[in-house]
Amino acid sequence: MNGRAVRGLLALPLLGALLTGCGIRPTEVPTDFGGAPSRVPCSPTGSGQATASPEGVPVQVFLLCGASLVTVDRSVRVPEGTPDARRRVMVAQGLLDQLASAPSAGERAAGYQTRVPGGITVTGPGREEPEEALRLSTAPDKLGSPALAQVVCTFSDSAAAEGDGSVILAGPAPAAPRRYECTEDVRDHPGRVQPPSSAVRLS
C-alpha cells in the first residue's frame, strides 16, 4: 500500500469527527428504511394531568392521541337516588361534556386532543324506541369520523349503554336510531374507520 492510500485511510476517522462536530445528527424524519420512532408518548405527566374528581362518578373517555383512541380518567356528577333511565341520560351528557372539554396542559403536551364539539345535548329514547337509546342534538353522521368514534367508544364503555361494546344513537327526531359499534379497527384508526352501524328494531 503506497503512502497516499495510507494517508487517505487515516483521514477517515478525522472526517467523521468533523461531521459530528458540525452538528450533523441521525435523521428524525421518515426515510426509505422506515419511520422514526414517535415522539408522542400518549402518557400525560405533571401537574397539568387531569384527575377524576372524588365528588363525581369515575368514568373514562376516549381521546385522540397520534392515530388512535386512548382512554383518560374523568368523572361525572349524578345525584344519588337518580332513577336508572334518568341516570343513563345524565351520564351520557356528562361524558359528552368531558369529551368536548379541552385536554389539560399535561395531556396536550403528551399529544392528546379531541374532535367532539361543545354544545351537544342528549335526551332519552322516543316512543317505541329501545330504553337504552340516546338522542343527540346533532346527528351522529354530522360529527365526522374521529368525533363519532370518540362518542361511540366512550358511550359503549360506560353506564350510558349496555356494556356490550355498542350504543344506540339517533339525531333529532324523526331520525331513526341506529346501533353503533366500537370495534378494534375504530379504536386503532378513528380518522378513517367509521363506527359500523345497523338498524334498530322498534317496539
Side-chain angles (χ1 to χ4, degrees):
M1 184 178 295
N2 58 39
R4 179 176 298 176
V6 171
R7 287 194 297 274
L9 290 174
L10 293 175
L12 290 177
L14 178 60
L15 177 61
L18 288 174
L19 289 175
T20 301
C22 290
I24 296 178
R25 297 287 186 271
T27 180
E28 294 185 354
V29 297
T31 67
D32 291 338
F33 301 100
S38 171
R39 293 189 294 274
V40 178
C42 292
S43 180
T45 58
S47 59
Q49 182 177 359
T51 56
S53 167
E55 299 178 0
V57 177
V59 295
Q60 288 188 321
V61 300
F62 281 82
L63 298 183
L64 297 162
C65 192
S68 305
L69 289 179
V70 291
T71 56
V72 297
D73 294 328
R74 293 288 191 267
S75 64
V76 298
R77 286 193 162 193
V78 180
E80 290 188 15
T82 302
D84 287 346
R86 179 59 182 158
R87 179 185 178 86
R88 185 191 302 275
V89 173
M90 292 186 70
V91 169
Q93 186 64 64
L95 292 171
L96 276 176
D97 294 342
Q98 291 290 345
L99 285 171
S101 298
S104 69
E107 289 167 345
R108 290 196 302 273
Y112 289 85
Q113 58 179 312
T114 184
R115 297 289 182 83
V116 178
I120 301 176
T121 58
V122 59
T123 57
R127 293 182 58 186
E128 299 183 348
E129 293 178 354
E131 63 179 13
E132 67 270 27
L134 298 168
R135 282 194 171 273
L136 307 181
S137 59
T138 298
D141 60 1
K142 299 296 184 183
L143 292 174
S145 183
L148 180 57
Q150 286 185 257
V151 172
V152 169
C153 289
T154 296
F155 280 3
S156 66
D157 196 38
S158 74
E162 294 298 302
D164 62 353
S166 69
V167 61
I168 298 177
L169 298 177
R178 297 184 64 83
R179 183 178 294 276
Y180 293 83
E181 297 180 52
C182 177
T183 65
E184 185 175 349
D185 280 347
V186 170
R187 292 190 296 270
D188 289 344
H189 308 288
R192 58 185 177 85
V193 177
Q194 189 90 356
S197 67
S198 57
V200 174
R201 179 179 298 179
L202 303 181
S203 302

PDB file of all heavy atoms in Angstrom, residues 38-50 63-66 102-113:
ATOM      1  N   SER A  38     -42.010   7.398  17.163  1.00  0.00           N
ATOM      2  CA  SER A  38     -42.899   8.502  17.518  1.00  0.00           C
ATOM      3  C   SER A  38     -42.388   9.219  18.744  1.00  0.00           C
ATOM      4  O   SER A  38     -41.908   8.606  19.690  1.00  0.00           O
ATOM      5  CB  SER A  38     -44.309   7.970  17.782  1.00  0.00           C
ATOM      6  OG  SER A  38     -45.135   8.984  18.318  1.00  0.00           O
ATOM      7  N   ARG A  39     -42.501  10.554  18.753  1.00  0.00           N
ATOM      8  CA  ARG A  39     -42.077  11.331  19.910  1.00  0.00           C
ATOM      9  C   ARG A  39     -43.276  11.681  20.780  1.00  0.00           C
ATOM     10  O   ARG A  39     -43.156  12.424  21.727  1.00  0.00           O
ATOM     11  CB  ARG A  39     -41.373  12.606  19.440  1.00  0.00           C
ATOM     12  CG  ARG A  39     -40.058  12.333  18.733  1.00  0.00           C
ATOM     13  CD  ARG A  39     -39.311  13.638  18.482  1.00  0.00           C
ATOM     14  NE  ARG A  39     -40.000  14.499  17.547  1.00  0.00           N
ATOM     15  CZ  ARG A  39     -39.869  14.422  16.228  1.00  0.00           C
ATOM     16  NH1 ARG A  39     -39.098  13.505  15.695  1.00  0.00           N
ATOM     17  NH2 ARG A  39     -40.529  15.247  15.439  1.00  0.00           N
ATOM     18  N   VAL A  40     -44.471  11.171  20.452  1.00  0.00           N
ATOM     19  CA  VAL A  40     -45.668  11.421  21.252  1.00  0.00           C
ATOM     20  C   VAL A  40     -45.862  10.274  22.229  1.00  0.00           C
ATOM     21  O   VAL A  40     -46.154   9.155  21.824  1.00  0.00           O
ATOM     22  CB  VAL A  40     -46.914  11.562  20.353  1.00  0.00           C
ATOM     23  CG1 VAL A  40     -48.157  11.780  21.197  1.00  0.00           C
ATOM     24  CG2 VAL A  40     -46.725  12.717  19.377  1.00  0.00           C
ATOM     25  N   PRO A  41     -45.683  10.493  23.528  1.00  0.00           N
ATOM     26  CA  PRO A  41     -45.732   9.385  24.484  1.00  0.00           C
ATOM     27  C   PRO A  41     -47.126   8.883  24.798  1.00  0.00           C
ATOM     28  O   PRO A  41     -47.291   7.765  25.254  1.00  0.00           O
ATOM     29  CB  PRO A  41     -45.067   9.984  25.728  1.00  0.00           C
ATOM     30  CG  PRO A  41     -45.366  11.445  25.640  1.00  0.00           C
ATOM     31  CD  PRO A  41     -45.341  11.771  24.161  1.00  0.00           C
ATOM     32  N   CYS A  42     -48.175   9.706  24.608  1.00  0.00           N
ATOM     33  CA  CYS A  42     -49.540   9.324  24.977  1.00  0.00           C
ATOM     34  C   CYS A  42     -49.609   8.886  26.432  1.00  0.00           C
ATOM     35  O   CYS A  42     -50.307   7.934  26.770  1.00  0.00           O
ATOM     36  CB  CYS A  42     -50.070   8.216  24.063  1.00  0.00           C
ATOM     37  SG  CYS A  42     -50.329   8.750  22.364  1.00  0.00           S
ATOM     38  N   SER A  43     -48.866   9.558  27.272  1.00  0.00           N
ATOM     39  CA  SER A  43     -48.876   9.259  28.700  1.00  0.00           C
ATOM     40  C   SER A  43     -48.646  10.561  29.439  1.00  0.00           C
ATOM     41  O   SER A  43     -47.505  10.937  29.711  1.00  0.00           O
ATOM     42  CB  SER A  43     -47.795   8.238  29.050  1.00  0.00           C
ATOM     43  OG  SER A  43     -47.812   7.967  30.433  1.00  0.00           O
ATOM     44  N   PRO A  44     -49.719  11.323  29.749  1.00  0.00           N
ATOM     45  CA  PRO A  44     -49.557  12.639  30.351  1.00  0.00           C
ATOM     46  C   PRO A  44     -48.913  12.562  31.730  1.00  0.00           C
ATOM     47  O   PRO A  44     -49.172  11.655  32.511  1.00  0.00           O
ATOM     48  CB  PRO A  44     -50.991  13.168  30.448  1.00  0.00           C
ATOM     49  CG  PRO A  44     -51.843  11.947  30.460  1.00  0.00           C
ATOM     50  CD  PRO A  44     -51.128  10.946  29.606  1.00  0.00           C
ATOM     51  N   THR A  45     -48.063  13.535  32.015  1.00  0.00           N
ATOM     52  CA  THR A  45     -47.400  13.602  33.315  1.00  0.00           C
ATOM     53  C   THR A  45     -47.452  15.035  33.813  1.00  0.00           C
ATOM     54  O   THR A  45     -47.743  15.967  33.081  1.00  0.00           O
ATOM     55  CB  THR A  45     -45.930  13.168  33.219  1.00  0.00           C
ATOM     56  OG1 THR A  45     -45.252  14.013  32.276  1.00  0.00           O
ATOM     57  CG2 THR A  45     -45.815  11.725  32.771  1.00  0.00           C
ATOM     58  N   GLY A  46     -47.134  15.206  35.072  1.00  0.00           N
ATOM     59  CA  GLY A  46     -47.028  16.554  35.615  1.00  0.00           C
ATOM     60  C   GLY A  46     -48.323  17.076  36.164  1.00  0.00           C
ATOM     61  O   GLY A  46     -49.367  16.437  36.133  1.00  0.00           O
ATOM     62  N   SER A  47     -48.261  18.321  36.664  1.00  0.00           N
ATOM     63  CA  SER A  47     -49.414  18.906  37.341  1.00  0.00           C
ATOM     64  C   SER A  47     -50.570  19.205  36.401  1.00  0.00           C
ATOM     65  O   SER A  47     -51.688  19.420  36.833  1.00  0.00           O
ATOM     66  CB  SER A  47     -48.995  20.214  38.040  1.00  0.00           C
ATOM     67  OG  SER A  47     -48.480  21.127  37.095  1.00  0.00           O
ATOM     68  N   GLY A  48     -50.302  19.224  35.081  1.00  0.00           N
ATOM     69  CA  GLY A  48     -51.372  19.511  34.139  1.00  0.00           C
ATOM     70  C   GLY A  48     -52.263  18.334  33.848  1.00  0.00           C
ATOM     71  O   GLY A  48     -53.246  18.442  33.133  1.00  0.00           O
ATOM     72  N   GLN A  49     -51.935  17.165  34.391  1.00  0.00           N
ATOM     73  CA  GLN A  49     -52.740  15.983  34.107  1.00  0.00           C
ATOM     74  C   GLN A  49     -54.069  16.056  34.836  1.00  0.00           C
ATOM     75  O   GLN A  49     -54.135  16.325  36.020  1.00  0.00           O
ATOM     76  CB  GLN A  49     -51.992  14.726  34.541  1.00  0.00           C
ATOM     77  CG  GLN A  49     -52.746  13.440  34.234  1.00  0.00           C
ATOM     78  CD  GLN A  49     -51.941  12.216  34.614  1.00  0.00           C
ATOM     79  OE1 GLN A  49     -50.827  12.341  35.084  1.00  0.00           O
ATOM     80  NE2 GLN A  49     -52.520  11.052  34.414  1.00  0.00           N
ATOM     81  N   ALA A  50     -55.154  15.818  34.100  1.00  0.00           N
ATOM     82  CA  ALA A  50     -56.485  15.849  34.707  1.00  0.00           C
ATOM     83  C   ALA A  50     -56.688  14.613  35.563  1.00  0.00           C
ATOM     84  O   ALA A  50     -56.217  13.529  35.245  1.00  0.00           O
ATOM     85  CB  ALA A  50     -57.558  15.905  33.621  1.00  0.00           C
ATOM     86  N   LEU A  63     -59.977   9.858  24.042  1.00  0.00           N
ATOM     87  CA  LEU A  63     -59.409  10.996  23.334  1.00  0.00           C
ATOM     88  C   LEU A  63     -58.523  10.487  22.211  1.00  0.00           C
ATOM     89  O   LEU A  63     -58.134   9.319  22.181  1.00  0.00           O
ATOM     90  CB  LEU A  63     -58.587  11.878  24.285  1.00  0.00           C
ATOM     91  CG  LEU A  63     -59.328  12.529  25.455  1.00  0.00           C
ATOM     92  CD1 LEU A  63     -58.373  13.427  26.238  1.00  0.00           C
ATOM     93  CD2 LEU A  63     -60.535  13.325  24.988  1.00  0.00           C
ATOM     94  N   LEU A  64     -58.210  11.378  21.296  1.00  0.00           N
ATOM     95  CA  LEU A  64     -57.295  11.053  20.204  1.00  0.00           C
ATOM     96  C   LEU A  64     -55.864  11.295  20.647  1.00  0.00           C
ATOM     97  O   LEU A  64     -55.564  12.305  21.284  1.00  0.00           O
ATOM     98  CB  LEU A  64     -57.607  11.916  18.979  1.00  0.00           C
ATOM     99  CG  LEU A  64     -58.985  11.721  18.351  1.00  0.00           C
ATOM    100  CD1 LEU A  64     -59.328  12.916  17.468  1.00  0.00           C
ATOM    101  CD2 LEU A  64     -59.012  10.447  17.531  1.00  0.00           C
ATOM    102  N   CYS A  65     -54.993  10.363  20.316  1.00  0.00           N
ATOM    103  CA  CYS A  65     -53.563  10.568  20.542  1.00  0.00           C
ATOM    104  C   CYS A  65     -52.832   9.845  19.425  1.00  0.00           C
ATOM    105  O   CYS A  65     -52.989   8.627  19.269  1.00  0.00           O
ATOM    106  CB  CYS A  65     -53.121  10.043  21.904  1.00  0.00           C
ATOM    107  SG  CYS A  65     -51.442  10.591  22.347  1.00  0.00           S
ATOM    108  N   GLY A  66     -52.056  10.586  18.643  1.00  0.00           N
ATOM    109  CA  GLY A  66     -51.478  10.004  17.452  1.00  0.00           C
ATOM    110  C   GLY A  66     -52.605   9.647  16.495  1.00  0.00           C
ATOM    111  O   GLY A  66     -53.483  10.449  16.215  1.00  0.00           O
ATOM    112  N   ALA A 102     -61.454  20.884  26.558  1.00  0.00           N
ATOM    113  CA  ALA A 102     -60.067  20.837  26.104  1.00  0.00           C
ATOM    114  C   ALA A 102     -59.241  19.969  27.042  1.00  0.00           C
ATOM    115  O   ALA A 102     -59.404  20.036  28.266  1.00  0.00           O
ATOM    116  CB  ALA A 102     -59.486  22.241  26.052  1.00  0.00           C
ATOM    117  N   PRO A 103     -58.359  19.133  26.519  1.00  0.00           N
ATOM    118  CA  PRO A 103     -57.481  18.343  27.378  1.00  0.00           C
ATOM    119  C   PRO A 103     -56.628  19.254  28.265  1.00  0.00           C
ATOM    120  O   PRO A 103     -56.406  20.419  27.944  1.00  0.00           O
ATOM    121  CB  PRO A 103     -56.612  17.567  26.378  1.00  0.00           C
ATOM    122  CG  PRO A 103     -57.424  17.525  25.127  1.00  0.00           C
ATOM    123  CD  PRO A 103     -58.162  18.824  25.089  1.00  0.00           C
ATOM    124  N   SER A 104     -56.166  18.728  29.380  1.00  0.00           N
ATOM    125  CA  SER A 104     -55.322  19.501  30.283  1.00  0.00           C
ATOM    126  C   SER A 104     -53.982  19.823  29.618  1.00  0.00           C
ATOM    127  O   SER A 104     -53.633  19.262  28.570  1.00  0.00           O
ATOM    128  CB  SER A 104     -55.078  18.711  31.568  1.00  0.00           C
ATOM    129  OG  SER A 104     -54.253  17.583  31.298  1.00  0.00           O
ATOM    130  N   ALA A 105     -53.225  20.705  30.238  1.00  0.00           N
ATOM    131  CA  ALA A 105     -51.912  21.078  29.698  1.00  0.00           C
ATOM    132  C   ALA A 105     -51.012  19.856  29.577  1.00  0.00           C
ATOM    133  O   ALA A 105     -50.291  19.677  28.584  1.00  0.00           O
ATOM    134  CB  ALA A 105     -51.271  22.143  30.581  1.00  0.00           C
ATOM    135  N   GLY A 106     -51.042  18.994  30.594  1.00  0.00           N
ATOM    136  CA  GLY A 106     -50.214  17.797  30.552  1.00  0.00           C
ATOM    137  C   GLY A 106     -50.639  16.850  29.450  1.00  0.00           C
ATOM    138  O   GLY A 106     -49.804  16.229  28.787  1.00  0.00           O
ATOM    139  N   GLU A 107     -51.954  16.732  29.236  1.00  0.00           N
ATOM    140  CA  GLU A 107     -52.455  15.866  28.173  1.00  0.00           C
ATOM    141  C   GLU A 107     -52.115  16.438  26.802  1.00  0.00           C
ATOM    142  O   GLU A 107     -51.734  15.699  25.892  1.00  0.00           O
ATOM    143  CB  GLU A 107     -53.962  15.691  28.326  1.00  0.00           C
ATOM    144  CG  GLU A 107     -54.343  14.831  29.523  1.00  0.00           C
ATOM    145  CD  GLU A 107     -55.811  14.910  29.876  1.00  0.00           C
ATOM    146  OE1 GLU A 107     -56.502  15.842  29.393  1.00  0.00           O
ATOM    147  OE2 GLU A 107     -56.276  14.064  30.653  1.00  0.00           O
ATOM    148  N   ARG A 108     -52.247  17.741  26.640  1.00  0.00           N
ATOM    149  CA  ARG A 108     -51.887  18.354  25.350  1.00  0.00           C
ATOM    150  C   ARG A 108     -50.414  18.151  25.046  1.00  0.00           C
ATOM    151  O   ARG A 108     -50.035  17.874  23.903  1.00  0.00           O
ATOM    152  CB  ARG A 108     -52.236  19.843  25.359  1.00  0.00           C
ATOM    153  CG  ARG A 108     -53.732  20.135  25.349  1.00  0.00           C
ATOM    154  CD  ARG A 108     -54.006  21.591  24.978  1.00  0.00           C
ATOM    155  NE  ARG A 108     -53.362  22.523  25.883  1.00  0.00           N
ATOM    156  CZ  ARG A 108     -53.884  22.966  27.015  1.00  0.00           C
ATOM    157  NH1 ARG A 108     -55.092  22.534  27.392  1.00  0.00           N
ATOM    158  NH2 ARG A 108     -53.246  23.824  27.779  1.00  0.00           N
ATOM    159  N   ALA A 109     -49.571  18.287  26.078  1.00  0.00           N
ATOM    160  CA  ALA A 109     -48.133  18.094  25.873  1.00  0.00           C
ATOM    161  C   ALA A 109     -47.825  16.661  25.457  1.00  0.00           C
ATOM    162  O   ALA A 109     -46.850  16.407  24.743  1.00  0.00           O
ATOM    163  CB  ALA A 109     -47.373  18.452  27.149  1.00  0.00           C
ATOM    164  N   ALA A 110     -48.651  15.723  25.907  1.00  0.00           N
ATOM    165  CA  ALA A 110     -48.457  14.315  25.561  1.00  0.00           C
ATOM    166  C   ALA A 110     -49.078  13.961  24.213  1.00  0.00           C
ATOM    167  O   ALA A 110     -48.940  12.838  23.747  1.00  0.00           O
ATOM    168  CB  ALA A 110     -49.049  13.421  26.649  1.00  0.00           C
ATOM    169  N   GLY A 111     -49.782  14.893  23.597  1.00  0.00           N
ATOM    170  CA  GLY A 111     -50.350  14.654  22.272  1.00  0.00           C
ATOM    171  C   GLY A 111     -51.825  14.383  22.224  1.00  0.00           C
ATOM    172  O   GLY A 111     -52.373  14.069  21.167  1.00  0.00           O
ATOM    173  N   TYR A 112     -52.518  14.502  23.359  1.00  0.00           N
ATOM    174  CA  TYR A 112     -53.954  14.243  23.377  1.00  0.00           C
ATOM    175  C   TYR A 112     -54.729  15.395  22.746  1.00  0.00           C
ATOM    176  O   TYR A 112     -54.353  16.558  22.894  1.00  0.00           O
ATOM    177  CB  TYR A 112     -54.456  14.060  24.808  1.00  0.00           C
ATOM    178  CG  TYR A 112     -54.022  12.772  25.466  1.00  0.00           C
ATOM    179  CD1 TYR A 112     -52.789  12.676  26.099  1.00  0.00           C
ATOM    180  CD2 TYR A 112     -54.855  11.658  25.469  1.00  0.00           C
ATOM    181  CE1 TYR A 112     -52.396  11.493  26.715  1.00  0.00           C
ATOM    182  CE2 TYR A 112     -54.477  10.481  26.084  1.00  0.00           C
ATOM    183  CZ  TYR A 112     -53.240  10.407  26.698  1.00  0.00           C
ATOM    184  OH  TYR A 112     -52.853   9.239  27.308  1.00  0.00           O
ATOM    185  N   GLN A 113     -55.840  15.050  22.078  1.00  0.00           N
ATOM    186  CA  GLN A 113     -56.733  16.058  21.528  1.00  0.00           C
ATOM    187  C   GLN A 113     -58.132  15.474  21.408  1.00  0.00           C
ATOM    188  O   GLN A 113     -58.322  14.258  21.539  1.00  0.00           O
ATOM    189  CB  GLN A 113     -56.248  16.540  20.157  1.00  0.00           C
ATOM    190  CG  GLN A 113     -56.099  15.445  19.128  1.00  0.00           C
ATOM    191  CD  GLN A 113     -55.641  15.967  17.783  1.00  0.00           C
ATOM    192  OE1 GLN A 113     -56.191  16.948  17.263  1.00  0.00           O
ATOM    193  NE2 GLN A 113     -54.629  15.335  17.201  1.00  0.00           N
TER     194      GLN A 113
END
